[in-house]
Amino acid sequence: KMLANKALGLLKYLGSLLVLACILLLFPFQTQAQLIGDPVDPSAYDLDVSADDSRPEILRKRYVNLKDWTMGPQLSLSLFPDAEVLSYVEEIDLGDERKTWKGHVQGDDAAYVIISEQDGIYFGKIVDADHRSFQLIYKGSSVYAIYEIEPSNIRLDEDDQVILEATDEIEGDEGICEQSYSCPAATIDLLIVYTAAAKDEMGGEAAIEAAIASAVSEMNTVNDNSGVPHDYNLVHTEEINFRSEE
């Protein structure tokens, strides 16, 4: 009788597994991409974004509200209806007042997501597995622009590999680096300054400093992907008193 009960229990367990398997086959779970923000009209926030229409490098754009947006260890980002990016955060750089998330994109080791945040303001650069480039830029009042950007001066061969065009030799601190890029590894400290006009154009101090941090992090990511041993270290950013004639 005890053996019969055990056999009956095992059959019920196997039956439950079979039912669960049928449910999964008939109704598979799907990962829902995180749509970045709610679509908004910038003019409703008294924001003038008309200059975006005259920028030839912007292939397409949309504007969203990211008031309650947060970052996590895995990002499933829906940038446009045909542009969804799944990224795994691998590294977080912590500065005095800013954070930068860096991660790779599923499907291509050379694709990446880099998003910097300062005082609740984000700036992001995304390159997906199809080599498309996207930017996340603050416009003001919790409104962000998502751009698809025309890649500049990037050429791919028949295998979709980036073609590097380098000079035969480059003068460096350690003498001449051969075209094989066998230069000694180095850390390059950066002091980056910006004008009041640049700050205003980017949407304020936090926005431009997040953009700077993201750009430096992107340079390091590109170096790593290209096998270049140099690293850039952002030491300080500061506004300077400079008025351009233009």
Side-chain angles (χ1 to χ4, degrees):
K1 184 177 181 180
M2 184 179 297
L3 290 176
N5 289 336
K6 288 184 176 179
L8 182 59
L10 180 60
L11 287 174
K12 290 182 178 179
Y13 176 72
L14 292 175
S16 299
L17 291 179
L18 180 60
V19 171
L20 178 60
C22 292
I23 292 174
L24 291 175
L25 288 173
L26 293 174
F27 307 100
F29 291 105
Q30 295 181 352
T31 301
Q32 182 66 38
Q34 175 192 354
L35 182 64
I36 300 183
D38 299 319
V40 297
D41 179 359
S43 63
Y45 295 80
D46 295 325
L47 298 174
D48 182 7
V49 295
S50 58
D52 289 351
D53 296 329
S54 60
R55 292 177 56 188
E57 74 275 16
I58 297 177
L59 299 178
R60 54 178 167 167
K61 58 187 180 295
R62 68 187 187 94
Y63 302 96
V64 298
N65 189 309
L66 290 184
K67 183 177 181 180
D68 298 318
W69 192 54
T70 57
M71 297 284 295
Q74 178 176 317
L75 297 176
S76 184
L77 307 175
S78 181
L79 302 168
F80 290 94
D82 63 341
E84 295 184 358
V85 176
L86 178 61
S87 172
Y88 300 92
V89 176
E90 298 173 323
E91 184 178 346
I92 300 178
D93 290 340
L94 299 176
D96 293 337
E97 299 177 345
R98 69 180 67 92
K99 296 186 290 289
T100 299
W101 290 263
K102 297 191 292 186
H104 75 275
V105 172
Q106 188 179 49
D108 191 331
D109 291 339
Y112 55 85
V113 171
I114 298 173
I115 298 178
S116 294
E117 179 267 332
Q118 179 162 329
D119 298 334
I121 304 298
Y122 295 94
F123 182 93
K125 176 68 179 294
I126 300 102
V127 175
D128 71 2
D130 294 322
H131 306 289
R132 296 179 296 181
S133 296
F134 304 91
Q135 286 184 344
L136 175 69
I137 296 181
Y138 182 66
K139 290 296 183 178
S141 302
S142 299
V143 174
Y144 289 77
I146 299 174
Y147 301 137
E148 181 179 355
I149 301 295
E150 174 70 29
S152 59
N153 301 324
I154 295 177
R155 295 175 54 205
L156 302 177
D157 62 18
E158 58 185 11
D159 297 320
D160 285 340
Q161 299 298 309
V162 175
I163 299 173
L164 297 177
E165 296 182 352
T167 57
D168 291 336
E169 56 186 32
I170 304 171
E171 293 289 347
D173 292 339
E174 301 296 330
I176 295 179
C177 300
E178 300 297 332
Q179 192 170 357
S180 61
Y181 303 102
S182 58
C183 307
T187 297
I188 302 169
D189 291 333
L190 299 178
L191 164 65
I192 298 180
V193 297
Y194 53 86
T195 64
K199 179 186 69 175
D200 293 341
E201 183 176 349
M202 289 299 298
E205 179 180 347
I208 193 170
E209 296 203 357
I212 292 170
S214 179
V216 173
S217 182
E218 183 182 10
M219 289 193 297
N220 286 329
T221 298
V222 171
N223 279 353
D224 291 342
N225 291 344
S226 303
V228 178
H230 307 317
D231 286 323
Y232 296 98
N233 176 39
L234 181 58
V235 176
H236 185 64
T237 59
E238 185 174 325
E239 180 181 343
I240 60 171
N241 185 16
F242 176 80
R243 296 183 62 182
S244 171
E245 298 297 329
E246 301 179 0

